[in-house]
Structure formats: structure tokens, C-alpha cells
Amino acid sequence: MKDFAAKPLIETRQLVKSFGGVQATDTVDFILKEGELRCLIGPNGAGKSTFFKLLTGQIAPTSGKILFDGDDVTGLSSFEIARRGIGIKNQKPDVFDGLSARENLWLAAQFDTDKKTADRRVEKVVDELKLGAFVHKLVGELAHGQRQWVEIGMVMARSPRLILLDEPSAGMDQEERVRTAELLKALNTTTTIVVVEHDMQFIKRIADIVTVFHRGKILREAHVDIVLRDPEVRNVYLGRTEVA
Amino acid sequence: MVKFLQRLQRPSGERPGAAWWAFIVIAAVILALLPQTLGLAQLLDLSVVLVLALLALSMSFLWGYIGILSFGQTAFFGTGGYVYAVAAMNFDSTTLPFLLGIVLPMLLAAVLGYFMVYGKLSDIYFSVMTLVITLIMNKAMRATSGSQYVVGDVRLNGQNGIPGVPPLQVPWNPEVTLFIDHVYYLAAALLILVYIGLRLLLTTPFGRVMIGIRENEQRIELLGYDARRYKLLAFILSGALAGLSGTMFAIWGNFVAPEMFGLDRAAEVIIWVIVGGKATLIGPIVGVGIIQYLTSWLGMQGVGQVTLVLGVILIVFVLAFKDGLVPTLGNLLLRLVGARPEGHIKKGSDLKKGSDV
Amino acid sequence: MLEAKNLVSGYGALPILHGLSLRVDDNEYVGILGHNGMGKTTLMRTLIGHITPMSGSISLDGAPITGAGAHKRARMRIGYVPQGREIFPSLTVRENLMMGALSGAEKRGGIVEEVLADFPRLERLLERNGGALSGGEQQLLAIARCLCGRPRVMLLDEPTEGIQPSIIDEIADLLLAIRKRSSMSIVLVEQNLDFIQALSDRVLIIHRGNVSRTLTANDLSDPEVVNEFVGMG
């Protein structure tokens, strides 16, 4: 999917978010081209989730700019940004617990269309993600990993141009992680994706370029094999974990 | 039947089935036949239950569907009542006053709701704000005893309220006014229509987004819905319903007083909804009936501390029937017929595994 | 020491565990591996007393505790670190740890300081609110808080979820050090194969509410065994 001629789909310029005195996001210049599958890694608290929340309008930046497809979207509310085509799976499962999995998906699918198209979209996602076994159950009663699937399905049902996934493999078993990795690669043929992950096995399965966050700044940005051998990345993040 | 009982557990986005429509028809027939067997005094008692059930619905719709707890329904209830009373006493016809009794509370809800929703008040502050609005309106209306508080030809009369509110005329024949039994029929018809309307609203995309907001407002926004718009529209709709209830209350009693805005009433609405069960629309209606009849029965038994007894009942209900009477009873019946409540139904092989219990 | 026999347990009327038995000896670390929805979390919640089993028994040192509530089990020194950590976000790190110490006598006895000696990262953050900590620090805090109750057996539910690799290493080192110097046992539910392999004496595979296999830690370094497990539908 590497197409260096592609234009940036999302871009941040000197993006800053401070909470109290702490710079959770510190003058971040980030560029993502259409068609990429980018991984973000970095220590807990490095500002990855904050960065995602800024991109989706869940919080407003202190200063700096966010451009989506060339348009300035800084300061837009989250529903406006969602309408422009950014979908996100948050770190903690962010679903409708009191509704069935199908109803969850339906709410996502019917946003900009009629009932019939929405139903078709739901069926498509249920097929693709193999959710059939629990699509009638209340999402609140599903296992953690299944809830993650439902949330990923909700994001997919909206067919966004950019998908942000915050720790998609958390709470999934090994088999589900492999499936998720395959799914993301398939999805990447049509959609630009950014993934925050801590599971290095998972990252190695999907990643190409990896961006490393540390203390709100971008510490490194390079091909996965280079980043994982970087002594500073090892020092602040990986520890002695085998990644060869 | 089982499916129908399961539906009592939570608002459902699916189209109501034949059982539900049958239930509506039976309820309508019973309500239509009751005046044959009841005396006028009993009919009067039943009418006010139907009128207040509209108020309960306006509250449970907001709370149960979209998750906003509003203590302000009595503010719109009172406004509806006063608007009808003042307008009907000023104008010759009562048709316009009846409509104003719905539209003005609706506008009030729109203005208040706009500032509260778009001011991004969190849920708890929203509830407190609506409570404050109710209290202010109650105080303000009590303070209108002076002769300077006149609207048209009508003195507001402060604490004493406005007696002699005109009965509703038949719009196309103003000579005929509604008598006690007519008011009963009107209230019954309105209640059934509102109930059907709110239930069908749930099957629309609008209704399902509302449920989504109750479940997870942030996710709704991330899916591209402007949650504030939905909350405001729901608040306006519930204001209109409460206004309708207030208007009917004024027509029913030929009287309005500041108590319509009172804290007691605001608390009562919550009790109805909690006792009946906020997850359903039928629950609060049942709640109104039980509490109203219990209150008057306790009064007749010479129990002095009716409020105290009601308080104890509320506590018992909150502790023993967490979901309210209707969902709890539905659940019980489901167990009796051997089915599981909705949401616990497992498909396929799991069902076989479960059958050994 | 901790023994469960023929547990049938689950939510509502549906059992998720179907006659599961399990035994943990003194100073033994037992790992539990299984696909999602196979009953791992139900097992943990049953062991800790959040769910009362429909049948079967749980005993601690031979004494039955099947019907004892969660608080009673805590007093019997069964510690629990839940999935998702559940620290008190608006209390400071020190206050969180105090909450974990069961009795006043222990607090005066310096249990908090004793535990902190193993957690240099937390020592620097004592006056910080729990909610202001990063995910990795919160996980360390949850484990430290559990240790403040001087547990005889600690139940750990997916401690590596969402945690950066270097802190996962720290947690593993710490738990191994504790095994050497105390007699504490651990029941560990985990998806991270490296982590579970590094810590466990035995690994139980849970499938459809029962133990389907028992592996040694070494079995997990055999790619064939792992593939079989990962592919197991």
C-alpha cells in the first residue's frame, strides 16, 4: 500500500495539549498519507490516547492545527469530525452496553442512509467480523474481547476514510489477535489506519512505519525493524523484551 | 406472550408486535366501557390518574429513553395549566387556549433546554437546574397575590390560585362544553395516543439514537450524531407533553394553583416513575394509578402521615424492586413460564447447555 | 492450599463453568490460559466470592469458604487484582496503598513502606492521585495495593493488558522475587504467552468451562503446542 505520491490524509502542525502544567501533547508534527497503516507505540502515559482524542475532537487542543484531507478541522466537535470520515475505537470499550450487538452496529450504520442500506451494512460487518454467534446478545454481557469486536464493527459500519484504533488487541486471546491483524491488513486496502498497540508480536504482524511517542513528543518515526532496535526506544519503552 | 413480557424489561427498538396492539385494543375497550360501571365521583378520580399519567410519561420518556432526569416537568405542567386558565378566561373560545397550553410550555422548554443543553451542563447539574426552575416558578406564582398581577381580565391570585377555569368547549360547537365523563374520554384517548406515539418513536432512527445517548453519549458523537440536538428535541417534546397534562389538569379541576409547580408534585412524579419502572412506558402509568389510589385510600383510612407512608413505599421500591414494578413483575412471570428475560437468551448450542438448570 | 472442586458457576441461570476443579499449592504460581468466553474471568470472580457457585466447593487450607463473601475472603488473605485495575482514581498513591492494608495494626507495622521497597516507581509518586498515573503505573499500584493485604494467594486477572513491554518485565521480575522470599501463591489469568511462561509452574488450559489440559511452562516454548492452542477453536 505504499504510495509515496499520496497526499497527507491527516496532518498536525505544532499540536499542543496541556492539562494543568503538563504537556500531554507537545508540539507534535505528524503526517499520515492516504493508504498508510501506521502504528503508534510508546510508554503508558506518553500521550498516544490524548493524541487520538485530539484528532477526533473529543478534546480541544491548547494550540496548533489539525488538517484532515487538507481542511482545517481544529476545534470542530467530535460529531462534525466523525461526519468528515474519521472513526475511532477508544482504549476502553466504548459501546452501548444496554443494546444488542446488532443494535450497536445499526446505530453506526444508519447515520447517513436509509433503513435498508443500514441493514445491509450491518449484515456485511457481521459477516466480515464473524459476529453472528453473539449479535443478538446485549453488549454489556459480552466478554471483553467480543466487545472490542463490536466496537471495531461499529467503526467499520461507518466506512470512514481514516480509522484510529486504540489498543485493539487488548483483552483479545491469541487467536483473536491474529484474526485482528489479518482484518486490519485487509481493511487497509481501502482505508487509512492508525493503531496504538503494546503487543509487539501484533505490531510486527501489521506494521510498516512506526511512530514512537515519549512524553508527549514524537521520539522516533521509522520502519518497524529500525525502531525496535533503537537503543533509546528500548530504554524508555521496550526494556529487555525480545523483538528480533 | 413471552416476547411481550420480555419487552417489558427495556425499551425495544423493534416494531411492536400483534400482542402489543392487542394489549392496546383491550386497554382502550376497557377504558371506554368503564364509565358504564363507575359513578361520577369514581370517574373523576380515574380521570385525574389518566391526566397525571401524561405527566409521568413526559418524565419517563426523558429519563428512560434518553437518560435525562428532569425535575422540571412540573414547571411545564404548571405553565400549561396557568396558560390554559388565563387564556380561556380571556378569550371566548377554549380551542386556542388548549393549544397554547401545549405550545407555550414547549417554547419554555425550548429556551431553557437550549441554554442547558448547549451550555453543556452535565447530567447532575441539568437535574439540579430543572429543580431550581421549578422552585423559582413556584415562588414567583405564590408572589402574585397583589392586584397588580393581572393578565387581561384575570387576577393571578398568588397562593389562592385561579378558580372557575372554564371547561373545554367542543371546537366546532362552542355552545357545548365537556362534562366530567367527556373529560374522562378525552384524557383516556390522549393517554392512549401519546403512549402509542412514544412507543412508535422508539422504532424510528430518532428514537434509537436517543437510546444510544442514554447508553453512551460519547460514542453517539463519535458516530457523527449531534447529541445536543437530540437532547434538546427530546426535552422540548417532553415539555409539550407536560404542558398537555397541565392543561388537562386545569380542565379536569376547573382550578389552577401554585401547587402545580410545587416540590411535592415534582417529587411525586419521580415516585410514580420509580415505582412503575422507568425502563418501560407502561410502568409509570401503572405507578400513577397505584400511588394516586393509595394516597386517597390512606387518606380515607385516617392515616395522618400520608407523605411519610409514601416515602417508606418509595424506599421499599428502590430497595426491593430496583427496576420498578412492571419490569419486576414481567420478569417474575417470565420465570413462571420458564423463559429467560431478554438479553439472557443465548443462541444455538448454549441454549441446550442451559436447559439442564 | 486453595482448592476448588467441581465448580458450576455463571451469571443468572446459565453456568459458564461446568464442574471445574483446581488446586494451588503453597508458593505455587498457576497460570490460566484460554480463549475469550471460556470462563476465565468467571472462574476468578467465583474464587474471589463475587459469584456464588451453583454447586461445587472452594476451600482454603481444607476449611470450606464456598459461601463466604468477597470481604470475608479478603480477610482470609485471598487477594485479587482485577482486570482493568480498579484503583481509586481520586485518592493518592499512598492512600490507595493504605486502603489495601487490612488492619490498623498492619498500617502501623509499616506494611506500606515494606511493600514500597519493591516498587521504586511508585515511591516517587506517593502524593500523586491514582487517576493521574499512567496505565503501567496504575497496574503496579493495583498489585502493590493487593500486596499490602499480605495475601497468601493472589488472583491476577490479565495484568499485562495495555501495559508497555518494559513494565511487563518489571512486574514479572517482581513476582518472581516474591516467590523466592515468601510462600505466597498466585493464580494468573493471562493472554501474553511470554509472561505466563515466565511465571507459571503449571499452566491450565480452560476450554468451555473446564480444564482441558495442563501444561508445564516449558510446553509453551514448543511452537507446536502453542499453535495447537492458538488455533484451537
Side-chain angles (χ1 to χ4, degrees):
Chain A
M1 276 319 293
K2 233 179 301 178
D3 177 7
F4 287 112
K7 60 184 169 113
L9 183 61
I10 194 145
E11 182 177 357
T12 70
R13 292 185 189 156
Q14 297 287 301
L15 197 65
V16 173
K17 177 68 190 178
S18 45
F19 294 108
V22 187
Q23 309 268 65
T25 306
D26 192 355
T27 53
V28 169
D29 290 315
F30 179 83
I31 292 181
L32 186 75
K33 294 200 191 88
E34 185 126 42
E36 271 197 73
L37 199 176
R38 181 77 65 91
C39 288
L40 302 188
I41 62 172
N44 299 116
K48 303 182 298 295
S49 294
T50 304
F51 185 62
F52 268 15
K53 286 191 170 141
L54 286 167
L55 293 186
T56 49
Q58 294 178 67
I59 51 178
T62 310
S63 64
K65 261 191 181 171
I66 304 170
L67 304 176
F68 181 65
D69 202 18
D71 296 337
D72 189 348
V73 296
T74 322
L76 292 189
S77 15
S78 46
F79 74 88
E80 289 166 309
I81 289 182
R83 286 180 190 181
R84 283 171 186 252
I86 303 184
I88 183 169
K89 187 208 86 63
N90 278 322
Q91 189 176 0
K92 294 197 178 115
D94 195 4
V95 287
F96 307 110
D97 278 342
L99 303 182
S100 72
R102 184 185 294 283
E103 285 170 324
N104 269 267
L105 297 171
W106 197 86
L107 269 176
Q110 73 103 35
F111 170 72
D112 52 358
T113 183
D114 57 297
K115 274 191 162 179
K116 271 207 180 120
T117 320
D119 286 342
R120 249 201 327 273
R121 281 187 190 171
V122 169
E123 290 319 312
K124 188 162 162 260
V125 170
V126 168
D127 275 359
E128 277 173 7
L129 297 187
K130 303 194 180 78
L131 305 179
F134 52 84
V135 76
H136 299 283
K137 289 196 202 171
L138 291 188
V139 171
E141 296 175 351
L142 297 179
H144 191 70
Q146 294 171 323
R147 285 153 54 96
Q148 303 260 59
W149 282 108
V150 171
E151 195 172 0
I152 292 173
M154 283 168 79
V155 174
M156 284 171 58
R158 295 273 286 120
S159 312
R161 294 180 63 190
L162 171 65
I163 293 183
L164 310 176
L165 299 165
D166 200 346
E167 298 195 24
S169 85
M172 288 191 178
D173 60 43
Q174 294 297 332
E175 187 199 357
E176 287 172 325
R177 286 178 198 208
V178 174
R179 262 175 66 200
T180 307
E182 296 308 315
L183 172 78
L184 293 189
K185 280 198 273 187
L187 210 52
N188 184 226
T189 54
T190 54
T191 317
T192 313
I193 304 178
V194 186
V195 182
V196 165
E197 254 307 330
H198 286 301
D199 181 340
M200 289 304 126
Q201 307 295 333
F202 187 85
I203 298 243
K204 279 195 292 177
R205 247 181 244 279
I206 60 170
D208 180 17
I209 305 287
V210 172
T211 303
V212 186
F213 272 69
H214 183 48
R215 300 203 169 134
K217 285 180 186 291
I218 293 180
L219 176 73
R220 287 285 181 282
E221 192 167 278
H223 190 268
V224 57
D225 295 334
I226 300 167
V227 162
L228 296 187
R229 287 196 176 81
D230 187 291
E232 200 170 349
V233 173
R234 295 204 71 95
N235 183 32
V236 301
Y237 179 61
L238 291 171
R240 62 164 188 268
T241 306
E242 272 313 312
V243 286
Chain B
M1 182 66 187
V2 168
K3 195 138 201 195
F4 179 67
L5 287 171
Q6 283 164 347
R7 289 280 167 70
L8 292 179
Q9 309 303 308
R10 66 191 186 97
S12 162
E14 290 168 51
R15 281 192 178 286
W20 187 81
W21 287 110
F23 163 75
I24 293 287
V25 171
I26 293 169
V29 169
I30 292 176
L31 283 174
L33 292 179
L34 272 178
Q36 314 286 332
T37 57
L38 296 178
L40 275 187
Q42 289 164 307
L43 213 51
L44 208 56
D45 283 348
L46 190 55
S47 299
V48 78
V49 168
L50 300 177
V51 168
L52 293 177
L54 286 171
L55 180 58
L57 277 182
S58 85
M59 163 108 178
S60 74
F61 158 70
L62 259 192
W63 195 11
Y65 280 23
I66 205 167
I68 299 174
L69 174 56
S70 159
F71 295 94
Q73 297 318 101
T74 39
F76 307 125
F77 175 76
T79 307
Y82 268 86
V83 166
Y84 174 79
V86 169
M89 292 168 86
N90 275 308
F91 306 149
D92 289 336
S93 149
T94 57
T95 308
L96 182 64
F98 186 84
L99 295 177
L100 284 178
I102 301 167
V103 172
L104 284 186
M106 199 168 130
L107 289 177
L108 181 65
V111 173
L112 294 174
Y114 178 80
F115 286 111
M116 289 192 292
V117 170
Y118 282 78
K120 294 204 167 164
L121 287 189
S122 68
D123 289 352
I124 180 75
Y125 285 103
F126 193 100
S127 301
V128 171
M129 268 306 255
T130 53
L131 180 63
V132 170
I133 289 165
T134 297
L135 291 177
I136 288 174
M137 295 193 69
N138 178 264
K139 265 258 193 264
M141 212 40 92
R142 279 178 190 285
T144 57
S145 49
S147 55
Q148 71 272 37
Y149 294 103
V150 178
V151 182
D153 305 329
V154 187
R155 268 188 68 175
L156 292 179
N157 270 341
Q159 308 249 31
N160 299 322
I162 307 172
V165 175
L168 197 64
Q169 302 157 351
V170 176
W172 52 90
N173 189 357
E175 300 299 301
V176 185
T177 58
L178 298 195
F179 188 58
I180 291 175
D181 53 342
H182 303 124
V183 171
Y184 165 84
Y185 283 124
L186 179 61
L190 284 172
L191 180 61
I192 289 178
L193 285 179
V194 167
Y195 176 70
I196 293 175
L198 290 181
R199 176 63 187 80
L200 292 185
L201 180 65
L202 268 193
T203 65
T204 66
F206 183 87
R208 292 166 84 158
V209 173
M210 285 199 327
I211 299 287
I213 289 176
R214 183 197 65 197
E215 291 295 319
N216 188 339
E217 190 174 338
Q218 171 174 296
R219 179 40 79 185
I220 278 290
E221 294 253 334
L222 289 175
L223 290 176
Y225 300 98
D226 184 357
R228 293 172 303 180
R229 201 167 65 89
Y230 287 85
K231 284 167 106 171
L232 180 58
L233 285 174
F235 193 65
I236 292 172
L237 180 56
S238 89
L241 282 180
L244 171 66
S245 174
T247 302
M248 287 299 293
F249 188 79
I251 292 168
W252 168 79
N254 304 116
F255 179 67
V256 290
E259 280 75 38
M260 285 179 79
F261 297 99
L263 198 53
D264 288 3
R265 172 110 298 157
E268 251 177 3
V269 184
I270 295 171
I271 294 175
W272 295 333
V273 173
I274 288 179
V275 166
K278 71 177 156 70
T280 63
L281 291 172
I282 196 76
I285 299 176
V286 173
V288 175
I290 292 176
I291 299 294
Q292 281 297 308
Y293 277 100
L294 200 64
T295 310
S296 56
W297 183 76
L298 286 171
M300 282 191 291
Q301 300 305 305
V303 177
Q305 300 284 354
V306 174
T307 320
L308 189 73
V309 176
L310 283 181
V312 171
I313 290 174
L314 175 66
I315 292 170
V316 168
F317 265 91
V318 169
L319 293 177
F321 306 98
K322 232 173 34 208
D323 302 323
L325 197 60
V326 169
T328 309
L329 283 182
N331 212 338
L332 213 66
L333 279 172
L334 274 179
R335 276 170 200 271
L336 283 181
V337 297
R340 286 190 207 91
E342 183 156 81
H344 297 282
I345 312 162
K346 313 272 170 166
K347 298 274 164 195
S349 62
D350 282 355
L351 196 64
K352 283 175 219 138
K353 259 193 277 170
S355 59
D356 55 352
V357 196
Chain C
M1 184 190 55
L2 181 69
E3 190 165 18
K5 278 187 191 154
N6 296 317
L7 284 182
V8 177
S9 179
Y11 307 92
L14 271 178
I16 295 172
L17 303 182
H18 299 275
L20 184 145
S21 298
L22 161 96
R23 189 191 143 90
V24 187
D25 290 327
D26 268 347
N27 212 9
E28 190 185 24
Y29 285 12
V30 175
I32 293 178
L33 204 54
H35 287 310
N36 271 324
M38 290 301 163
K40 301 184 304 291
T41 298
T42 307
L43 170 63
M44 288 304 234
R45 291 175 60 84
T46 308
L47 288 178
I48 196 64
H50 284 157
I51 309 177
T52 309
M54 295 158 206
S55 68
S57 66
I58 306 170
S59 63
L60 187 67
D61 290 330
I65 58 167
T66 315
H71 63 288
K72 269 200 176 157
R73 291 191 203 188
R75 298 204 167 268
M76 291 169 187
R77 304 195 181 283
I78 301 180
Y80 181 40
V81 182
Q83 189 176 14
R85 317 192 261 278
E86 296 181 17
I87 52 137
F88 304 109
S90 55
L91 298 185
T92 64
V93 168
R94 185 191 294 281
E95 286 164 339
N96 264 283
L97 294 174
M98 297 287 235
M99 287 290 184
L102 281 174
S103 68
E106 267 171 355
K107 280 176 212 164
R108 283 190 294 279
I111 178 73
V112 171
E113 282 67 26
E114 195 182 305
V115 167
L116 274 175
D118 284 330
F119 292 85
R121 261 181 210 269
L122 291 182
E123 223 165 359
R124 298 192 293 268
L125 302 167
L126 276 179
E127 304 313 321
R128 193 82 75 83
N129 274 353
L133 267 49
S134 75
E137 290 161 351
Q138 287 186 3
Q139 187 65 61
L140 288 171
L141 174 59
I143 292 171
R145 183 179 64 183
C146 182
L147 288 171
C148 282
R150 289 189 199 278
R152 303 192 44 202
V153 53
M154 179 153 81
L155 311 180
L156 275 170
D157 199 349
E158 299 208 19
T160 72
E161 187 191 322
I163 307 299
Q164 68 189 74
S166 59
I167 290 190
I168 294 179
D169 293 342
E170 275 178 40
I171 294 173
D173 291 346
L174 173 82
L175 295 178
L176 288 171
I178 289 173
R179 172 159 61 183
K180 277 200 187 122
R181 66 175 129 88
S182 79
S183 65
M184 187 179 81
S185 315
I186 285 183
V187 180
L188 169 69
V189 166
E190 188 48 68
Q191 299 284 3
N192 180 326
L193 293 178
D194 295 336
F195 187 78
I196 204 165
Q197 186 190 5
L199 284 174
S200 310
D201 300 308
R202 278 186 298 146
V203 178
L204 310 181
I205 307 288
I206 296 207
H207 187 62
R208 292 185 187 266
N210 227 320
V211 177
S212 67
R213 269 184 86 171
T214 304
L215 305 177
T216 65
N218 282 338
D219 290 342
L220 284 181
S221 47
D222 181 347
E224 251 177 55
V225 175
V226 173
N227 267 340
E228 193 191 328
F229 166 71
V230 170
M232 177 174 85

